[in-house]
């Protein structure tokens, strides 16, 4: 902290300096993490509403009735689009999923609760299970369609199962699980079924309206008892904005937390957080209002057209193949004779970020692209960069790891290493963790991670994050 107060101009200049190495949040060259309408006026409306609600505290809706009015409108819009229900506005998909799992756990009252899901289900379910003392029972996906099979879900359900999960779509390959079939086997077993529509909830209806074949997936499907939908994804609202819907209001109440076992103020929370800014709620409300149905339908049409062009273009690039038949605007492609991790580095050097995904459960390493409303304007440029990067990656060849390196990393007790020691280990494979170093080439790191079992990958990632934030 500085000894003297600094002016607004000084602070904003410092923010600009710190952001100078960030990936761009507008323009469509970053194909993950950010969602861009391409409409500056929508962003401006959201930013101003966000700032207006910034200091309003969602902790006590009786003190700030604007929170109740806004949340009713936002949740109501999601419920109207996705088959009804009773909802909660949350900070993001992970919190929405956390509340759905909590509600199911508390309603079931099992001594040893478990959660049945596909290996393609989002890690937020594993995180929720970890925090809430729930076992995860993971089932495989079909390696042709990348969808979970209802019969595998049915076989995994037992007397301790509190919930089964279907994804619409699953993030890795952008395919929609057979929600009707999964919900039916869950209902037959008397178990709740949650649909993870964090990505697809505010996307699939508009793609359907634009002409895409989208199967039923929401709360109108018999047996679906809860659903999560992120508005900071294809709702294009500022982070963090999500909604979790429950078919039964009694189940929504199970997501709440109340405590009167202390002498202070009354505690009753709809979310994991207690005090929280209403800024994200204001931003989400304003975005929905600024775009309206016509705006979302137009974005849906542009997104669908861009996705089709991307898939067709990838099919024309030698050595690349799209995984499965994506039913949303998430597209993943693998390489034949091309190291996709090297390809990602080559694309990054050309100004484009493609998201690497490691191999797992029989699914090969691949690169992931999230197509958004702004992608259509640059899809030909993206394909040109991918083609050039693929050729460059073919010429460079795959990453060759030093003999014994993977075994060394796997056998190392990472907890015994200090932050400086881990940073030195990272430096030995070409990763400079100093903030001023910017984004390193990641092909070698991803190749090492890809060669490790999941538990070892997680241990490395935890140490990596700790080292990044070390002072």
């Amino acid at each position: 902290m500085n000894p003297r107060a600094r002016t607004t101009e000084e602070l904003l200049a410092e923010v600009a300096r710190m952001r100078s190495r960030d990936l761009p949040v507008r323009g469509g060259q970053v194909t993950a993490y950010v969602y861009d309408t391409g409409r500056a006026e929508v962003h401006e409306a959201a930013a101003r509403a966000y700032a207006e609600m910034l200091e309003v505290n969602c902790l006590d809706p009786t003190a700030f009735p604007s929170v109740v009015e806004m949340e009713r409108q936002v949740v109501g819009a999601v419920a109207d689009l996705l088959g009804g229900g009773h909802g909660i506005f949350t900070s993001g998909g992970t919190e929405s999923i956390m509340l759905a799992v909590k509600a199911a756990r508390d309603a079931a009252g099992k001594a040893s609760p478990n959660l049945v899901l596909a290996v393609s289900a989002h890690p937020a379910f594993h995180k929720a299970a970890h925090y809430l003392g729930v076992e995860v029972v993971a089932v495989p996906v079909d390696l042709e369609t990348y969808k979970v099979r209802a019969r595998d879900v049915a076989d995994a359900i037992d007397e301790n199962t509190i919930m089964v999960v279907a994804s619409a779509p699953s993030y890795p390959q952008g395919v929609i699980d057979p929600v009707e079939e999964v919900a039916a086997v869950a209902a037959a077993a008397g178990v709740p079924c949650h649909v993870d529509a964090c990505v697809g909830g505010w996307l699939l209806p508009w793609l359907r309206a634009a002409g895409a074949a989208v199967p039923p997936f929401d709360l109108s499907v018999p047996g679906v008892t809860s659903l999560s939908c992120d508005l900071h994804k294809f709702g294009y609202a500022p982070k963090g904005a999500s909604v979790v819907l429950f078919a039964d209001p009694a189940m929504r109440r199970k997501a709440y937390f109340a405590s009167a076992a202390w002498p202070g103020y009354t505690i009753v929370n709809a979310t994991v957080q207690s005090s929280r800014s209403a800024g994200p709620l204001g931003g989400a409300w304003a975005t929905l209002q600024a775009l309206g149905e016509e705006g979302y339908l137009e974005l849906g049409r542009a997104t669908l057209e861009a996705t089709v062009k991307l898939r067709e273009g990838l099919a024309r690039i030698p050595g690349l193949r799209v995984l499965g038949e994506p039913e949303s605007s998430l597209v993943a492609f693998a390489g034949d004779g091309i190291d996709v991790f090297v390809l990602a580095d080559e694309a990054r050097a050309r100004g484009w970020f493609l998201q690497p995904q490691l191999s797992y459960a029989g699914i090969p390493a691949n690169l992931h692209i999230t197509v958004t409303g702004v992608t259509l304007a640059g899809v030909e440029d993206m394909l040109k960069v991918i083609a050039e990067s693929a050729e460059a990656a073919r010429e460079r060849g795959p990453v060759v790891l030093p003999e014994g390196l993977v075994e060394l990393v796997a056998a190392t007790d990472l907890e015994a290493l200090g932050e400086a020691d881990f940073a030195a280990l990272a430096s030995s494979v070409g990763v400079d963790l100093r903030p001023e170093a910017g984004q390193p080439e990641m092909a070698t790191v991803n190749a090492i991670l890809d060669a490790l079992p999941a538990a070892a990958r997680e241990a490395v990632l935890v140490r990596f994050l700790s080292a990044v934030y070390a002072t």
Side-chain angles (χ1 to χ4, degrees):
M1 182 178 296
N2 287 327
R4 65 170 183 84
R6 301 174 71 185
T7 66
T8 300
E9 290 72 19
E10 287 177 315
L11 296 175
L12 292 178
E14 183 72 359
V15 169
R17 182 196 64 77
M18 288 188 283
R19 285 200 58 193
S20 64
R21 294 185 298 272
D22 287 358
L23 295 171
V25 298
R26 304 285 167 203
Q29 289 181 239
V30 176
T31 64
Y33 311 129
V34 294
Y35 296 78
D36 184 10
T37 63
R39 303 182 184 188
E41 71 279 6
V42 173
H43 170 69
E44 175 67 16
R48 293 182 68 175
Y50 194 114
E52 187 67 25
M53 297 296 289
L54 182 65
E55 295 182 69
V56 174
N57 193 342
C58 294
L59 174 64
D60 187 347
T62 67
F64 303 102
S66 61
V67 169
V68 176
E69 187 173 357
M70 273 191 182
E71 182 159 338
R72 281 177 174 168
Q73 290 187 34
V74 170
V75 170
V78 176
D80 287 346
L81 193 68
L82 298 176
H86 311 266
I88 301 170
F89 182 84
T90 77
S91 64
T94 294
E95 188 172 28
S96 289
I97 287 166
M98 185 86 67
L99 294 175
V101 174
K102 176 194 178 296
R105 183 201 66 176
D106 291 1
K110 305 284 187 182
S112 302
N114 70 51
L115 182 65
V116 175
L117 46 72
V119 294
S120 56
H122 196 277
F125 290 99
H126 294 261
K127 187 175 185 178
H130 176 74
Y131 284 175
L132 296 169
V134 176
E135 178 189 1
V136 172
V137 179
V139 299
V141 294
D142 183 297
L143 292 180
E144 293 294 324
T145 66
Y146 301 100
K147 300 181 183 185
V148 72
R149 292 171 288 237
R151 66 176 182 272
D152 291 335
V153 173
D155 290 344
I157 295 172
D158 63 22
E159 68 276 6
N160 290 316
T161 301
I162 61 164
M163 176 192 281
V164 303
V165 175
S167 300
S170 59
Y171 185 86
Q173 280 75 49
V175 297
I176 301 171
D177 284 334
V179 172
E180 291 178 302
E181 297 174 30
V182 172
V185 300
V191 174
C193 175
H194 180 84
V195 172
D196 175 14
C198 287
V199 173
W202 206 262
L203 168 69
L204 295 175
W206 306 110
L207 292 184
R208 182 189 286 138
V214 176
F217 70 92
D218 60 22
L219 283 175
S220 65
V221 175
V224 174
T225 55
S226 58
L227 177 147
S228 47
C229 169
D230 285 2
L231 294 175
H232 61 214
K233 291 188 171 74
F234 287 95
Y236 297 100
K239 303 283 191 282
S242 179
V243 168
V244 56
L245 293 175
F246 297 93
D248 184 350
M251 188 66 87
R252 177 176 67 169
R253 293 194 295 272
K254 292 293 185 183
Y256 293 169
F257 173 80
S259 178
W262 84 312
Y265 63 91
T266 303
I267 295 289
V268 57
N269 302 141
T271 64
V272 175
Q273 302 173 82
S274 291
S275 283
R276 56 192 174 104
S277 170
L281 176 60
W285 176 85
T287 305
L288 295 180
Q289 303 294 328
L291 280 167
E293 291 186 8
E294 291 182 355
Y296 282 113
L297 180 55
E298 185 178 337
L299 286 167
R301 288 176 179 142
T303 302
L304 181 60
E305 183 180 350
T307 304
V308 170
K309 287 187 174 183
L310 176 63
R311 290 182 59 189
E312 291 175 347
L314 288 171
R316 293 193 295 268
I317 299 175
L320 302 184
R321 59 186 173 90
V322 173
L323 298 179
E325 296 290 332
E327 296 159 285
S328 61
S329 67
L330 309 183
V331 178
F333 63 93
D336 294 319
I338 294 173
D339 187 325
V340 291
F341 300 143
V342 175
L343 193 162
D345 279 352
E346 289 288 340
R348 180 63 190 270
R350 291 164 171 80
W352 289 76
F353 178 84
L354 309 176
Q355 188 177 47
Q357 298 189 139
L358 305 179
S359 61
Y360 187 72
I363 302 170
N366 59 84
L367 297 180
H368 186 280
I369 294 173
T370 299
V371 177
T372 68
V374 78
T375 304
L376 182 59
V379 68
E380 297 300 338
D381 290 337
M382 182 193 299
L383 286 167
K384 181 174 182 291
V385 165
I386 293 173
E388 291 175 355
S389 301
E391 182 58 31
R394 191 194 306 277
E395 292 177 4
R396 282 177 56 178
V399 171
V400 178
L401 298 175
E403 186 175 351
L405 176 60
V406 172
E407 292 77 11
L408 174 64
V409 173
T412 298
D413 180 4
L414 295 177
E415 284 300 315
L417 293 180
E419 300 295 353
D421 293 329
F422 183 82
L425 178 62
S427 179
S428 72
V429 295
V431 178
D432 189 340
L433 295 175
R434 295 173 302 157
E436 62 270 21
Q439 173 69 31
E441 286 204 342
M442 293 296 291
T444 300
V445 175
N446 284 321
I448 294 170
L449 290 171
D450 199 59
L452 292 170
R457 292 174 180 175
E458 291 164 1
V460 171
L461 290 169
V462 167
R463 290 310 311 269
F464 179 86
L465 185 64
S466 179
V468 165
Y469 282 102
T471 55

